[in-house]
Amino acid sequence: MVVCGDDGLAHRLAAELRGVYGEQVTLVVPASERSVRPPVVVRARSASALLDRVVTAAAGLTGNGAGTGAVTAVGEPPGGIRLMEAAEPTEAALAAAGVERADALALVYDDDETNIRAALTARRLNPRLRLVLRLYNRRLGQHIEELLDQAAVLASGGPADGTGFDASTTVLSDADTAAPALAATALTGTSKVLQTGGLLLRAVERPPAGAGVSAGPGLATLALLSQTDSQGRADDQGPALLPDAAAVRDGGGRATVVLEQVSYAGPALPDGRGVMPWFASLFSRRLRWSLAGMVGCVVALAVALWLVTGIHPLRAFYLTLLDLFAIDDPAIGESVGRQILQLLSGLAGLLLLPVLLAAVLEALGTFRTVSSLRKPPRGLGGHVVLLGLGKIGTRVLTRLRELNIPVVCVESDPEARGLATARRLRVPVVLGDVTQEGVLEAAKIHRAHALLAVTSADTTNLEAVLYARAVRPDLRVVLRLYDDDFATAVYRTLRAAHPAASTRSRSVSHLAAPAFAGAMMGRQILGAFPVERRVLLFAAVEVGGHPQLEGKTVGEAFRAGSWRVLAREESGDAPGLAWDLPDTYVLQPSDRVVLAATRRGLAELLGRRGRERSGT
């Protein structure tokens, strides 16, 4: 695997590929990046010591070339991460990184043009290379995917549909990939989620007492954790991944890891849904009550006229409207009761005029300001307060509303890109500087479920979180910070200061790296969950062409400790995932299934066992 980049995402991605998937990685960074300690390598297994030794020895190693395209080979440690320096991803730099022999290449520079230029060069050097690009322009990314995929098919001489090799091109945005994890963190306190079939899934550790209890529909037991002694030390047996029913039943003394859907159980955002939602959107609550009172008054006068004069009810209603609108039809010669009712109807008509005028003016104002921002409704509670409607905030807002979660946004820039999305989704927005007093109170922070601070300024996010904690100490907070080390320090300090509250600090590179790593492993990889020192992979696989799955039942296809079929993609009018597959269901060649597997099991299933043994 080759990773090229100029910021923290490249380091995090290299660590993810090595620490989670066990791949050998070449990391290509500019020379200025060498002096900065990679903030993410400490997360990968043994990668920290390896890269520290490589960086220390960098001054004594030289490469070939100079100037803009200079390449410096910093070293190739035995642990699997090779660090190189290159000012730009030129053809010489990509060749020195081994792109011609690589399985996948990730281009995660902060500049779209640099990534596209390097992708075109890499596709020419290796038509069978899997490409993963970081692009902010989503529409351009779709065209680039199609162009590079077509170039791969033509250059490799493969079939027109691209089968027979995996030279896919995947364009990702760190904002799109981080948004689901940020949304899940605000709901459940964890960012380790899996997004598939429109659902957010997470792996949850359950105590030993619940090991043999059914977890409910849509959940599956993924692992039995190691047994611990009285001092909390784990035994040497390790976790049992993908256990069968007998192992789960007999493992009463071991905690389990189950798959669970991330959902929101709080109150829904009041949005005027009722018998006539259009009526509620046109007129305010006070004006609606005034109109209702006037209608009741007219009905009461019509009924009284009917009872006093004994005329037909429709005629009584008609005469009441004539009197109400002061149409000249005096009740001369009529009874005293009729004359009194006519006077009362005229008085009600005078009262009705300002109400009708207010209704007309308010309706015209509603149509004129249809693009205006909504204010948080009274009595709102259990919502998520989202700070910042930039690139990241807009994606998070969209994801939260897809999950039907009530949101109140706070934004200081009236020209922010996410305001149009907030108007379209009818989400309340408070315009103002979040560091100013009263802004968070206007967003009903004292009754909120969680606070998501995702502005582009770390200090603004931190100040907002500290102020929110002062208002409500038990509030769940999630703040986006650029640097991993700073995020870790903030998390530890807030956790120590507020031990009873949920605190999460995340960097976008930390959240986006798993999606980029999964794309580098192939489009069938959906994600990975760590279980102690081992890893479970989740993949979407076509049943056809896999004798271990094709023509077998779900129960027969299950191999304990290797892989397990979890769901099947449904087609038709309502596409999605069927999670309640019975063990007797026969897998058809046309089926596409989602399965959980170990690294060794997935390699065997996909025919990569030989490559894994050879260490390439």
Side-chain angles (χ1 to χ4, degrees):
M1 302 290 173
V2 180
V3 178
C4 302
D6 56 0
D7 59 8
L9 179 57
H11 296 286
R12 167 63 64 177
L13 178 54
E16 184 85 12
L17 289 169
R18 181 57 191 165
V20 176
Y21 294 96
E23 295 286 337
Q24 294 195 11
V25 184
T26 296
L27 177 59
V28 182
V29 295
S32 59
E33 288 289 301
R34 182 176 63 83
S35 60
V36 180
R37 184 176 66 85
V40 299
V41 176
V42 292
R43 310 288 188 186
R45 182 178 56 195
S46 73
S48 179
L50 291 172
L51 279 181
D52 285 342
R53 290 197 299 268
V54 170
V55 172
T56 304
L61 297 172
T62 57
N64 49 10
T68 304
V71 179
T72 303
V74 179
E76 188 171 357
I81 296 185
R82 176 189 176 206
L83 187 62
M84 291 184 54
E85 293 177 0
E88 291 184 0
T90 59
E91 182 174 349
L94 294 176
V99 167
E100 297 176 352
R101 304 180 306 276
D103 287 338
L105 166 66
L107 298 165
V108 293
Y109 291 94
D110 197 46
D111 179 55
D112 285 4
E113 182 180 352
T114 301
N115 293 328
I116 294 174
R117 185 172 64 249
L120 296 174
T121 303
R123 178 60 79 210
R124 178 169 50 83
L125 293 175
N126 187 354
R128 295 177 175 269
L129 183 71
R130 279 195 303 272
L131 287 173
V132 179
L133 280 72
R134 172 191 186 184
L135 296 183
Y136 295 108
N137 192 328
R138 303 170 72 183
R139 180 174 298 179
L140 175 62
Q142 295 177 356
H143 297 303
I144 291 296
E145 275 192 12
E146 297 174 359
L147 175 66
L148 293 175
D149 283 345
Q150 183 178 1
V153 173
L154 296 177
S156 62
D161 59 357
T163 58
F165 62 94
D166 185 8
S168 60
T169 303
T170 305
V171 176
L172 297 174
S173 166
D174 49 358
D176 290 331
T177 54
L182 286 170
T185 305
L187 296 181
T188 64
T190 178
S191 61
K192 202 62 179 179
V193 295
L194 176 70
Q195 184 178 13
T196 177
L199 302 176
L200 283 179
L201 305 174
R202 63 170 178 168
V204 181
E205 182 178 336
R206 297 196 171 181
V213 180
S214 174
L219 299 181
T221 301
L222 300 178
L224 293 174
L225 298 181
S226 303
Q227 289 183 333
T228 56
D229 56 19
S230 58
Q231 298 180 353
R233 294 175 300 186
D235 57 16
D236 297 332
Q237 184 180 359
L241 302 183
L242 303 175
D244 54 20
V248 174
R249 184 174 57 253
D250 298 336
R254 306 173 67 176
T256 60
V257 177
V258 298
L259 193 65
E260 184 179 86
Q261 179 182 349
V262 176
S263 59
Y264 174 75
L269 181 65
D271 54 0
R273 295 175 183 174
V275 179
M276 292 185 295
W278 59 269
F279 189 78
S281 63
L282 282 178
F283 306 115
S284 65
R285 183 182 180 89
R286 183 178 299 177
L287 186 56
R288 293 199 302 268
W289 278 111
S290 300
L291 290 175
M294 292 305 303
V295 171
C297 181
V298 172
V299 173
L301 289 172
V303 172
L305 182 61
W306 168 47
L307 295 177
V308 169
T309 61
I311 61 178
H312 193 274
L314 292 179
R315 179 173 174 80
F317 187 73
Y318 172 69
L319 292 177
T320 301
L321 290 179
L322 290 180
D323 297 336
L324 190 68
F325 297 123
I327 297 179
D328 192 16
D329 187 15
I332 299 176
E334 300 286 343
S335 63
V336 176
R338 168 75 180 92
Q339 293 175 347
I340 293 176
L341 288 174
Q342 188 175 55
L343 293 176
L344 293 177
S345 298
L347 179 62
L350 293 177
L351 298 177
L352 180 61
L353 285 177
V355 176
L356 292 177
L357 179 61
V360 171
L361 294 178
E362 189 166 300
L364 291 176
T366 301
F367 284 117
R368 185 174 60 251
T369 60
V370 67
S371 60
S372 62
L373 299 171
R374 301 183 67 194
K375 295 182 179 180
R378 292 183 178 181
L380 178 64
H383 58 288
V384 174
V385 177
L386 177 63
L387 308 184
L389 285 175
K391 181 183 61 176
I392 302 293
T394 304
R395 301 287 190 270
V396 174
L397 171 62
T398 303
R399 187 58 189 157
L400 288 172
R401 292 307 292 143
E402 287 176 354
L403 297 173
N404 296 320
I405 298 169
V407 185
V408 174
C409 301
V410 179
E411 175 56 54
S412 59
D413 183 10
E415 302 296 330
R417 68 172 69 187
L419 291 179
T421 302
R423 293 189 187 99
R424 177 174 56 84
L425 298 176
R426 300 183 59 80
V427 173
V429 178
V430 176
L431 283 177
D433 187 354
V434 70
T435 60
Q436 300 297 321
E437 187 175 355
V439 175
L440 283 179
E441 284 83 352
K444 308 292 192 281
I445 191 65
H446 57 286
R447 292 199 297 265
H449 172 76
L451 170 67
L452 255 173
V454 294
T455 69
S456 57
D458 288 359
T459 54
T460 300
N461 294 334
L462 182 57
E463 183 177 355
V465 167
L466 293 176
Y467 182 78
R469 276 287 166 80
V471 175
R472 184 178 165 189
D474 61 339
L475 180 68
R476 172 178 288 167
V477 297
V478 182
L479 64 158
R480 166 204 174 189
L481 300 175
Y482 180 78
D483 184 76
D484 263 4
D485 291 338
F486 185 46
T488 302
V490 169
Y491 163 70
R492 291 174 177 173
T493 304
L494 289 176
R495 184 182 60 179
H498 302 276
S502 175
T503 303
R504 294 293 183 270
S505 57
R506 295 287 185 264
S507 68
V508 174
S509 62
H510 174 95
L511 299 175
F516 280 82
M520 292 187 72
M521 296 300 298
R523 286 181 173 175
Q524 73 273 14
I525 303 296
L526 301 176
F529 285 148
V531 181
E532 295 183 2
R533 292 183 176 274
R534 303 182 66 184
V535 175
L536 269 179
L537 305 179
F538 293 82
V541 178
E542 299 283 351
V543 173
H546 296 93
Q548 303 94 329
L549 304 176
E550 187 175 350
K552 295 185 177 181
T553 65
V554 173
E556 294 171 346
F558 170 53
R559 182 178 297 183
S562 295
W563 62 75
R564 175 179 181 177
V565 176
L566 300 175
R568 178 180 64 89
E569 289 190 5
E570 294 181 327
S571 57
D573 298 335
L577 291 176
W579 292 91
D580 54 348
L581 287 179
D583 289 342
T584 57
Y585 176 79
V586 179
L587 299 174
Q588 304 298 323
S590 59
D591 287 342
R592 181 178 173 87
V593 297
V594 175
L595 51 84
T598 62
R599 281 203 296 248
R600 185 177 298 273
L602 186 62
E604 179 181 350
L605 183 65
L606 299 181
R608 299 203 306 244
R609 188 69 174 269
R611 191 195 71 170
E612 185 180 82
R613 287 177 175 174
S614 64
T616 60

